[in-house]
Amino acid sequence: MTESHTLAKRYQQVRAATERLSAPLAPEDQTPQSMADASPVKWHRAHTTWFFETFVLDRAQPGYMPFDPAYRMLFNSYYNTVGAQHARPERGLLTRPGVDEISRYRAQVDEQMSFLLTDGALGDELRAVVELGLHHEQQHQELIVTDLKHLLSQNPLHPAYCPHKPETLAPVVEAPLRWARVEPGLRRIGHAGAGFAFDNEGPAHNCYVHGFALATRPVTNGEYLEFIQDGGYQRADLWLADGWLAVNEGGWQAPLYWLAQDGGERRQFTLSGVRAVEPLEPVTHLSAYEADAYARWAGARLPTEMEWEVVATARPPEGHFAETARLHPAPAPVVTEAGDEAPGSTPPVLQLFGDVWEWTSSAYAAYPGYRAPAGALGEYNGKFMANQLVLRGGSCATPAGHIRATYRNFFYPSARWQFTGLRLARDLR
Amino acid sequence: MTESHTLAKRYQQVRAATERLSAPLAPEDQTPQSMADASPVKWHRAHTTWFFETFVLDRAQPGYMPFDPAYRMLFNSYYNTVGAQHARPERGLLTRPGVDEISRYRAQVDEQMSFLLTDGALGDELRAVVELGLHHEQQHQELIVTDLKHLLSQNPLHPAYCPHKPETLAPVVEAPLRWARVEPGLRRIGHAGAGFAFDNEGPAHNCYVHGFALATRPVTNGEYLEFIQDGGYQRADLWLADGWLAVNEGGWQAPLYWLAQDGGERRQFTLSGVRAVEPLEPVTHLSAYEADAYARWAGARLPTEMEWEVVATARPPEGHFAETARLHPAPAPVVTEAGDEAPGSTPPVLQLFGDVWEWTSSAYAAYPGYRAPAGALGEYNGKFMANQLVLRGGSCATPAGHIRATYRNFFYPSARWQFTGLRLARDLR
Amino acid sequence: MTESHTLAKRYQQVRAATERLSAPLAPEDQTPQSMADASPVKWHRAHTTWFFETFVLDRAQPGYMPFDPAYRMLFNSYYNTVGAQHARPERGLLTRPGVDEISRYRAQVDEQMSFLLTDGALGDELRAVVELGLHHEQQHQELIVTDLKHLLSQNPLHPAYCPHKPETLAPVVEAPLRWARVEPGLRRIGHAGAGFAFDNEGPAHNCYVHGFALATRPVTNGEYLEFIQDGGYQRADLWLADGWLAVNEGGWQAPLYWLAQDGGERRQFTLSGVRAVEPLEPVTHLSAYEADAYARWAGARLPTEMEWEVVATARPPEGHFAETARLHPAPAPVVTEAGDEAPGSTPPVLQLFGDVWEWTSSAYAAYPGYRAPAGALGEYNGKFMANQLVLRGGSCATPAGHIRATYRNFFYPSARWQFTGLRLARDLR
Amino acid sequence: MTESHTLAKRYQQVRAATERLSAPLAPEDQTPQSMADASPVKWHRAHTTWFFETFVLDRAQPGYMPFDPAYRMLFNSYYNTVGAQHARPERGLLTRPGVDEISRYRAQVDEQMSFLLTDGALGDELRAVVELGLHHEQQHQELIVTDLKHLLSQNPLHPAYCPHKPETLAPVVEAPLRWARVEPGLRRIGHAGAGFAFDNEGPAHNCYVHGFALATRPVTNGEYLEFIQDGGYQRADLWLADGWLAVNEGGWQAPLYWLAQDGGERRQFTLSGVRAVEPLEPVTHLSAYEADAYARWAGARLPTEMEWEVVATARPPEGHFAETARLHPAPAPVVTEAGDEAPGSTPPVLQLFGDVWEWTSSAYAAYPGYRAPAGALGEYNGKFMANQLVLRGGSCATPAGHIRATYRNFFYPSARWQFTGLRLARDLR
């Protein structure tokens, strides 16, 4: 298969995956916006299309006639270089174009993109933009899931998006928490070489790593419940000052989507409706403040992104991703490896990829030597390098194939609506 | 036709009118909420149904099985006596039940209501509640129109709801502004006798009327433009203190829905899309503050509700209402009556009913001897008797047959999204 | 004594009364502002001086040299006609001019005013402005007391402003609650004739009074405690909708300044520090919403301002005012009059003046025929005729001689920091 | 001199320096609070005293009788371990205790501290707390200056705190901007060894430094004016997304305290009143967003704190500090050194210490191996390690002797009321 055909095929696959996500949703579900941080599903479907129209079709075809000239402003998310944007918190007020019209928009752009991608005339620069656009669309696939979850959670009827998938092979005992040791020394992190990566993953560069140990699996609901039962949300000494403020202003008593406890078992809202909080599943929908407070309570700390990457870099990016359609984190497998207990051996490190994004203590900042690309696409990552923290590893809502060891996701520390969890780290003594 | 059949038939007519209003709307248009004061169209359709289910079916039928028990809370607007309510500003986040489900809800309640209304067993008290429910639904029909207008106005595409209906017989000259004089003396206002009225329209009572004159038609766009061009929005001396604050905080420069002027003619958003501001049409979408400032600028004042009613009481409640489906105020007809100019004659007073609600200077308060009914329906009107002003006469979005000379509408003085305008009054010297 | 000398003497007396109020206060107490509605004591002292400088000295003396030209803006409260104003919520950030400088400002303006007032050359128009300025200053004397109370109440140390004055002759039993009946008919209210009155007290005009009865004394703490103990603050059905919102948003559980009860007796913050809530004293620091809810709970209602005035007009404006320096309402005297119980007699109506301002149900609006004066002083009262309610009768913080039966005070219904209470009314059956 | 006498003497000196700062201020100036981030001068004087009372006297003396038990809560800034705190935004409402009372508080605590410090009985642990308390008080001395500047700036009269000190020896030409190169390699930063340092300055640790060049002096007003004149505040592409939001929400057009330009020369509010913006002075009162945007415009970037320290560590912490009483940054001296232009030589790096705090791009975070101390004093620095950026080098308001090469100051990136500026850095190619 030629390279052109490969890209064309990947284009078709990624675009179809978006439509599979929205297929079960009525127009009513695709329209409102439950908070300024989230966007309507139909907006995501239009904006990802806008990306290809604006950055590929309009550049590749002289005299290109846009599907609707008003969309240039309407579905521009944050690219000042492209021009004005419709106000972010008002995306849910755009009842028109409707769902059907957006489907037509997608179809027309797809048709023209397919033509472009298969006729072989597209230059390297625009092919790279197409590649970026596909990764961009995968990011929005994850946002479709998490934004929809937030929207449905506002409904007292607790409606479900997908059927519950029981883990038929789910472990009945918790995977033991072990520690993978890394000795101090000079290391190299960041993306280099072939294969796609976002600009913010490079340049690859040296860094000095202090000795540390990384937990072999994320923190579980069961462990987090102990924190809660120990008064974790009432003890100021466990929290960063900004976190303590967030706890008190937000009235936080548990992770987002956990229901107020009224005597019986803990329950939580999931995309399959309200379900029990399973002790063996990784805890999720935590802010970085909660992750940090838990780590302090546990006598540990969050890893830096450097530490996380040093451990993850040797491992294949495999795990529990969106394709299982479970859309909820799963318990860690109980792995018994030969020689597991041998002195000096490194225990297997589980669930680095998939299940839950793992908060790190690293501020999202430019790597040494980083320079944002020129033009509109330079706004993709660089301008957000303030006030956010890096998360690593992907989640149960991340499309398989989208994640890498060098991948840097970023959110404000107060954000809770992504599938965010944590893995402990500690200093070597 | 028996009385039962009459009520059953009116029930069917009023319920059908609601559905006619929403029929052209896609599910996307019926779902979001553009501000806390407004509600989604599908919410209006469900809430009016909830009214009959809660206050009639549930009371009339022992062991009544509700369509969905969760709706009792979900579609309760503000009746504390009924129980908890879903938070008003979050009505637009209820993607479920969807439009089809709400249609089923309406159909099922209608079926049971029709049975109840035609089998003749319904007592007088519940028949009175049905009557109230029909007037209640007509109020929500007007809100469907005005809330939808506000929602569509947020869309930069300026979508239209209905086709523009040109006034083929529209006058080409402005009806002259004359003054109908009323001499001082003791009068009687308020509802008494047969026919439906809301509780707040009574009791009928004496009041002393000071001599005044009432303008023979509402203020027009052409007149209001002179106020704007004379710097009306920049002159603090014309405004109430709270109004001046609203002007400055809201950046008001013109009535709501007038577009920023960019050189050419004034244009405004209407339910038929963006159209020219027609000088002969009554000005609308004014706050009471703007109405008051205009009146002061014009050397006049707003009428009291007493003054308005004294003039209106002798006239039939006829005018330009929602049934024309124009949903926009129309110019006053130019009436030449025999003897119009005869000394001492009273000029015809036009457009008292329909076209635009007319702000009065009267605070919405209890009439002497008023007592709110016991129970939940006592919450209908009485508890809003604070901080609001009375408006009179109905608008182009009011269903014909819904309005009366004694009818008291009420909104906060800052409200602009109803079809609100003004008619001048002045003291007799 | 000539008229000139009388006005000069009154000028000196009123101005001295202001200084007596601030004399016990350190500069620290005179500087901050505890909420946007309140002003610093030293601002009140400067603003009242600014009034005479701006509206008298500057007009009477060609080429008048102001004490400091910057004060024209700095101490202008809300007169747009005079020019720009320093932002109201930032009055507490003006550390300069300091207290001493403001004393110098007052002294210099007083010296020039005294000269003007005694040399007999001041025309009638400006003499009327001086008269207005003195009543204006008396209003600010009351605000000095209430604004200071609010400021001191923010301090967890609960500092006192003045020593507690026990009522040595205080009654030991509650004055019985009786009802003074007024028969229906045409009456006349509003100011007419000689003597000073604010513009908003006129014109005198006819009104039709429906039969009513007015309570012979204000509601007491003891009675209000019964309302609280009966769940008054938890029962939505007792409240206006806006009031219920205020209760819930403000977390109101009792009148302002009542301390959270912790087992023992109810205590409140007063200008003499924290003291017991005395059951026989009139309840005070109520919003209009609380007054209205109490009245509804008690099976009564608030009087209209017309009703209040009809009763008060025949009585001398005597009562417990600021001059006692108690600055807290006192119990009603127990009056036994000859013939008190005789059939058809009218019981004595107590405490109409002084002790607590009495909320009425009347919106603050223009009387028929009212026209605000031209120029800056037209802004004194007229532009506030929106969203506020009328209060009548003065309080324990009102200077004696300042109040009249026609006097109309006005505040937003949510305001609680004035000495506001209520007197019940009810319809005649 | 014994160690005890040394500490006692330093105690006396530092405490006296605080009083010298507040001596010129009237009680009015010491009382209000102009924003939640700032505190009243008299609060600073009391809180620093509270520190010694709470953490030294109360621990050293069994049965210690506090000056006023209420102060424990009233002047606790943020130590949850000590107990409840008076709400931060309400510090300006505490008119009592007044200035004189706080002077008495300081005197009494000083007397007891002097006794403790000279009698030699104080153990090492508490001596270390005294040392910390003195550095704490020096930090508050700087805040007294910056908080006061913010308060006075709110006054339209633009009052001055101190006389202007002209730089009699001020250079007439701008020091040329040169670059000091640092080669890549492993370095060590952080505090180790003798001498006081805050806990957050350690542990000393290895880090890998990429090759970079650091500007030899801070950016000047003249240079920053070019940025403004080039449309810097209007060009979204120069700004971080959060910064662009701040620019637009805050209406930023220039550094804080620069007055709106009305034709003539640029002027700014200083602690000596309104003065011209001097082109040769370092620009100050910038947010980190403005510093970052300027750097991007200039084709450079902010240094990391590691880079800054690597350069600064070899230089003595000398510069222009608070003791000059100028309280405004001064131009860089024009230094001509022998061999300045010699190939390979390092140009002198000026003004690393004093004049303006220099924003770095480093998030304020724990150094590897950092552990907050146990108990209340562990709250001093550690809990603020979120959302803030590190600043280095001290300012014209920092007491001499307070700063070090390892010193880490931290503020939110939006903060502008400190004397904050920037120094450029760039990568080596």
Side-chain angles (χ1 to χ4, degrees), chain D residues 26-266:
Chain D
E28 292 92 326
D29 289 325
Q30 295 195 39
T31 301
Q33 176 177 34
S34 55
M35 61 172 169
D37 286 338
S39 298
V41 170
K42 77 185 177 76
W43 184 92
H44 285 296
R45 294 174 59 216
H47 165 68
T48 46
T49 307
W50 169 95
F51 190 98
F52 290 110
E53 185 179 48
T54 303
F55 295 127
V56 181
L57 294 182
D58 192 49
R59 295 181 180 183
Q61 305 181 340
Y64 173 77
M65 293 286 290
F67 182 81
D68 185 327
Y71 288 10
R72 188 171 177 94
M73 180 273 273
L74 219 53
F75 296 120
N76 180 359
S77 53
Y78 56 64
Y79 295 90
N80 296 310
T81 312
V82 171
Q85 299 126 45
H86 187 242
R88 176 170 191 137
E90 294 172 18
R91 288 176 184 165
L93 304 182
L94 296 175
T95 67
R96 323 265 178 102
V99 160
D100 290 344
E101 187 72 0
I102 286 170
S103 295
R104 276 191 290 278
Y105 179 36
R106 290 185 67 91
Q108 177 172 318
V109 166
D110 284 352
E111 189 181 9
Q112 299 188 51
M113 283 296 299
S114 294
F115 182 80
L116 261 188
L117 288 170
T118 47
D119 81 347
L122 208 58
D124 279 353
E125 196 182 339
L126 284 182
R127 290 179 61 83
V129 174
V130 173
E131 186 70 46
L132 177 63
L134 294 178
H135 290 272
H136 171 258
E137 182 135 356
Q138 287 183 312
Q139 291 182 316
H140 281 276
Q141 286 165 8
E142 179 151 6
L143 292 174
I144 283 175
V145 171
T146 53
D147 291 359
L148 176 70
K149 183 170 183 178
H150 191 266
L151 173 60
L152 295 181
S153 79
Q154 306 298 307
N155 192 326
L157 304 180
H158 295 310
Y161 164 66
C162 58
H164 174 58
K165 292 207 177 175
E167 288 284 303
T168 48
L169 298 176
V172 292
V173 295
E174 190 163 71
L177 183 64
R178 294 175 185 158
W179 299 89
R181 290 172 58 99
V182 175
E183 299 303 320
L186 210 56
R187 305 297 175 108
R188 198 160 178 83
I189 67 162
H191 181 81
F196 174 83
F198 288 110
D199 57 4
N200 63 8
E201 299 174 46
H205 60 283
N206 291 339
C207 59
Y208 185 83
V209 171
H210 300 267
F212 70 97
L214 191 71
T216 51
R217 59 159 174 75
V219 171
T220 64
N221 283 328
E223 288 165 337
Y224 199 80
L225 264 166
E226 289 180 50
F227 166 74
I228 295 178
Q229 284 156 4
D230 195 37
Y233 282 92
Q234 284 81 48
R235 286 178 49 191
D237 61 303
L238 296 173
W239 296 80
L240 290 165
D242 287 354
W244 189 236
L245 204 65
V247 164
N248 286 287
E249 290 191 344
W252 294 352
Q253 302 282 343
L256 183 64
Y257 301 136
W258 286 31
L259 306 188
Q261 192 166 21
D262 47 0
E265 64 172 3
R266 298 297 308 221

Side-chain angles (χ1 to χ4, degrees), chain B residues 208 210, chain C residues 187-193 197-207 309 313 366-370 406 408:
Chain B
Y208 185 84
H210 300 266
Chain C
R187 306 295 177 108
R188 198 163 179 83
I189 66 162
H191 181 82
F198 286 110
D199 58 2
N200 63 8
E201 299 174 47
H205 60 283
N206 292 338
C207 57
E309 185 171 333
T313 199
Y367 279 166
Y370 170 79
T406 57
R408 308 172 78 197

Side-chain angles (χ1 to χ4, degrees), chain C residues 274 284 321:
Chain C
V274 172
T284 190
F321 296 116

Side-chain angles (χ1 to χ4, degrees), chain A residues 28-29 70 95-96 99 155 157, chain B residues 28-29 95-96 99 155 157:
Chain A
E28 293 90 327
D29 289 325
T95 68
R96 323 264 180 102
V99 159
N155 193 324
L157 305 179
Chain B
E28 293 91 327
D29 289 325
T95 68
R96 323 265 179 100
V99 160
N155 193 324
L157 305 179

